[in-house]
């Protein structure tokens, strides 16, 4: 006889059924607030990250007087993309450790404030080294916030399906961050002359960076009402929360999980930094764009970016729909990997050098498929590590795998662009990005053979 049939329904709603997952309940106001703050943080994570692809070309021209596509320009683009992410990876790893040591809420709040005020400082940069430094501190805040936010939301829900669904949908906010920064850049390009001058000029890239200050405002207002993770707080108050240790990630029970997920996350992020963030520098070389006025070129760039971010949202929402219906993590990952290899190859080896229309719809599909697989890691990693290692384990995969190893893909792309065949600098960049995409997808498909399935639906204690 089903054990639930022996209990009154009212009692089931309160305490659940022994041996079965806790019942799904309506979100409380506090849970809604936590999810809202986490979603805001996720949105501005991508907002801050995607600001650089949009402003790299005009910022380097203004501060360094580089010719777009020249070896010097490619070198600085590589540095501007990679060094902030690598710095974020190193300090984000420390942030994951602090998340387990000090609590999810405290680390999340301070990390959002760090990247908001760093973005403001970046908008005032007078030299390339200044811009690079404040981009580093911005991305450090982003990297720490993402790990703390995922752990915080994951530990707020005891029912596995509800937890998976909430994580999936809050991570969909990443895509809205992309839409917001694209819209901010379009507004800055179109109406820059109406804004107060910064250092005596009206450069659109500065206003775009300045807008990264926005998330600090609602955070300051809601900070007194934000609770700590109940799981972390309970273990901390009882004195049973073990001290996190990086060495624990490589003990026999977790070594394979740590190594495989770090490799797969690195492949995913190589696509993000070295491939899908580069079209803004390819679009000016398309036949339909070459003869446009500078302002129209930048508006076209933001328009293509808008298509990409629509794909990002669609991919995140598609994952949130599938994650509660497909239990095999390998199968779920491959649903996005196999078509992704085809779409990325067509986009960068053909569309990016031939047609603006094909680029728009190709990058929408590319954004959908890439971000669908990205969302998996936010749901998968919390299920693989116990409470005292959850932030540390997530942080190692996301920060070392993604930001230190995977983000180096942008250096490969920008340097390959110097020697790739092609009729223009934009074409050479497209072909080098396509080569990296094939390499990253091949690595992901091979690595997925060793991806471990979680042990049950509940979070490990």
């Amino acid at each position: 006889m089903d054990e639930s049939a022996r209990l009154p329904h009212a009692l089931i709603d309160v305490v659940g059924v022994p041996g079965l997952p806790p019942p799904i309940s309506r979100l409380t106001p506090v849970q809604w607030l936590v999810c809202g703050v986490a979603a805001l943080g996720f949105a501005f994570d991508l907002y801050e990250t995607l600001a650089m692809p949009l402003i790299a070309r005009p910022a380097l021209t203004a501060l360094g007087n580089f010719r777009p596509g020249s070896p010097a320009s490619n070198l600085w683009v590589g540095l501007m993309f990679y060094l902030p992410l690598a710095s974020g990876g190193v300090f984000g790893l420390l942030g994951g450790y602090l998340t387990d040591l000090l609590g999810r809420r405290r680390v999340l709040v301070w990390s959002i404030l760090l990247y908001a005020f760093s973005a403001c400082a970046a908008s005032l940069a007078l030299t390339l080294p200044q811009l690079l430094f404040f981009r580093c501190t911005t991305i450090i805040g982003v990297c720490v916030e993402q790990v703390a936010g995922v752990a915080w939301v994951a530990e707020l829900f005891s029912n596995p399906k509800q937890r998976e669904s909430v994580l999936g949908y809050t991570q969909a906010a990443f895509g809205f961050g992309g839409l917001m920064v694209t819209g901010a850049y379009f507004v800055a390009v179109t109406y820059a002359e109406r804004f107060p001058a910064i250092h005596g000029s009206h450069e659109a890239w500065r206003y775009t960076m300045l807008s990264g200050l926005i998330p600090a405002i609602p955070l300051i207002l809601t900070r007194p009402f934000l609770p700590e993770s109940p799981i972390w707080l309970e273990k901390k108050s009882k004195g049973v929360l073990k001290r996190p240790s990086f060495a624990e990630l490589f003990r026999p029970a977790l070594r394979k999980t740590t190594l495989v997920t770090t490799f797969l996350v690195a492949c995913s992020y190589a696509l993000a930094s070295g491939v899908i963030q580069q079209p803004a520098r390819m679009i000016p070389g398309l036949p339909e764009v070459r003869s446009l006025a500078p302002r129209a070129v930048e508006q076209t760039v933001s328009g293509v970016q808008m298509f990409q971010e629509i794909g990002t949202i669609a991919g995140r929402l598609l994952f949130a729909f599938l994650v509660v219906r497909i239990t095999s993590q390998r199968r779920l990952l491959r649903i996005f990997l196999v078509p992704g290899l085809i779409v990325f190859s067509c986009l960068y080896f053909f569309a990016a050098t031939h047609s603006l229309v094909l680029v728009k719809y190709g990058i929408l599909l590319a954004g959908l498929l890439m971000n669908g697989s990205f969302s998996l890691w936010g749901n998968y990693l919390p299920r693989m590590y116990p409470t005292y290692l959850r932030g540390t384990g997530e942080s190692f995969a996301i920060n070392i795998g993604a930001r230190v190893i995977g983000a180096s893909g942008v250096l490969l792309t920008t340097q390959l662009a110097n020697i790739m065949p092609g009729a223009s600098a934009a074409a050479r960049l497209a072909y080098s990005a396509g080569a990296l995409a094939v390499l990253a997808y091949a690595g992901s498909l091979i690595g997925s053979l060793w991806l471990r399935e979680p042990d049950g639906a509940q979070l490990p204690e």
Side-chain angles (χ1 to χ4, degrees):
M1 183 177 180
D2 184 357
E3 190 172 1
S4 64
R6 302 175 184 173
L7 297 175
H9 287 294
L11 185 59
I12 292 174
D13 291 338
V14 176
V15 302
V17 179
L20 295 179
I24 295 177
S25 58
R26 291 180 179 275
L27 269 64
T28 66
V30 170
Q31 287 175 323
W32 276 113
L33 179 62
V34 170
C35 291
V37 171
L40 176 73
F42 293 153
F44 274 89
D45 285 354
L46 195 63
Y47 189 105
E48 304 291 6
T49 302
L50 289 185
M52 182 49 63
L54 291 168
I55 66 99
R57 189 163 41 83
L60 291 179
T61 301
L63 298 180
N65 198 27
F66 295 128
R67 178 174 57 85
S70 66
S73 175
N74 284 337
L75 174 62
W76 268 100
V77 168
L79 294 175
M80 283 290 179
F81 275 82
Y82 179 64
L83 289 183
L85 290 169
S87 300
V90 173
F91 284 91
L93 187 62
L94 175 62
Y97 176 84
L98 294 176
T99 296
D100 285 332
L101 187 66
L102 303 177
R104 287 50 167 136
R105 179 190 62 178
R106 183 183 302 175
V107 173
L108 180 136
V109 168
W110 283 104
S111 61
I112 292 178
L113 292 176
L114 173 62
Y115 74 58
F117 286 101
S118 294
C120 177
S123 71
L124 305 176
L126 291 171
T127 65
L128 286 175
Q130 287 179 4
L131 178 61
L132 180 58
F133 174 80
F134 288 115
R135 279 297 295 173
C136 286
T137 55
T138 299
I139 302 303
I140 286 171
V142 165
C143 294
V144 174
E145 187 280 332
Q146 184 176 354
V147 172
V150 168
W152 197 30
V153 173
E155 293 174 353
L156 197 63
F157 299 93
S158 54
N159 183 278
K161 282 195 172 183
Q162 188 175 35
R163 182 184 65 245
E164 297 299 307
S165 180
V166 170
L167 275 172
Y169 283 110
T170 53
Q171 288 185 95
F174 277 108
F176 288 100
L179 284 177
M180 289 189 293
V181 74
T182 303
Y185 186 64
F186 181 87
V187 169
V189 167
T190 306
Y191 302 106
E193 297 299 326
R194 302 183 184 182
F195 299 148
I198 299 178
H199 296 314
S201 64
H202 299 269
E203 295 169 304
W205 69 268
R206 293 189 184 275
Y207 302 115
T208 305
M209 299 298 289
L210 183 62
S211 64
L213 185 62
I214 294 172
I217 301 171
L219 183 66
I220 292 171
L221 296 177
T222 60
R223 167 65 179 82
F225 308 102
L226 298 175
E228 183 52 85
S229 160
I231 294 177
W232 182 90
L233 194 59
E234 180 184 11
K235 289 183 175 291
K236 182 75 171 179
S237 62
K238 291 180 178 179
V240 297
L241 186 68
K242 298 180 183 178
R243 192 175 184 86
S245 167
F246 292 115
E248 288 283 299
L249 301 178
F250 296 95
R251 59 183 170 87
L254 292 174
R255 185 186 302 129
K256 180 180 176 181
T257 297
T258 299
L259 293 176
V260 171
T261 54
T262 299
F263 173 76
L264 288 172
V265 171
C267 290
S268 297
Y269 218 83
L271 287 169
S273 64
V275 182
I276 207 166
Q277 291 185 15
Q278 302 308 313
R281 299 172 56 226
M282 304 172 193
I283 292 165
L286 288 169
E288 305 96 314
V289 183
R290 291 174 194 157
S291 59
L292 296 178
R295 175 175 291 185
V297 170
E298 299 306 323
Q299 290 172 331
T300 303
V301 167
S302 64
V304 172
Q305 187 75 25
M306 187 70 71
F307 273 78
Q308 178 182 320
E309 300 318 317
I310 292 172
T312 295
I313 295 173
R316 300 279 182 173
L317 293 175
L318 177 60
F319 174 84
F321 174 80
L322 294 175
V323 70
V324 295
R325 292 166 174 81
I326 299 176
T327 57
S328 170
Q329 302 299 291
R330 293 179 187 173
R331 182 183 173 198
L332 186 57
L333 179 60
R334 289 168 187 163
I335 285 175
F336 295 99
L337 291 182
V338 174
L341 174 60
I342 299 170
V343 169
F344 271 75
S345 298
C346 294
L347 173 60
Y348 289 93
F349 288 125
F350 180 77
T353 58
H354 287 80
S355 168
L356 179 61
V357 173
L358 290 178
V359 168
K360 286 180 178 179
Y361 292 103
I363 207 162
L364 187 152
L365 287 175
L368 183 154
L369 294 166
M370 188 194 77
N371 281 278
S373 60
F374 255 30
S375 287
L376 182 138
W377 304 121
N379 285 59
Y380 176 84
L381 289 169
R383 298 173 64 185
M384 305 310 293
Y385 296 98
T387 302
Y388 78 100
L389 278 178
R390 189 159 294 130
T392 306
E394 290 177 50
S395 183
F396 190 89
I398 298 296
N399 289 302
I400 298 302
R403 273 88 185 218
V404 175
I405 301 173
S408 65
V410 71
L411 298 178
L412 180 62
T413 300
T414 53
Q415 293 309 302
L416 274 179
N418 293 326
I419 59 174
M420 273 283 183
S424 65
R428 292 190 291 273
L429 179 62
Y431 296 150
S432 64
L436 178 60
V438 171
L439 184 64
Y441 270 110
S444 295
L445 287 167
I446 294 170
S448 68
L449 297 173
W450 289 276
L451 185 67
R452 176 187 157 197
E453 296 291 342
D455 298 327
Q458 296 294 338
L459 294 178
E461 290 295 325

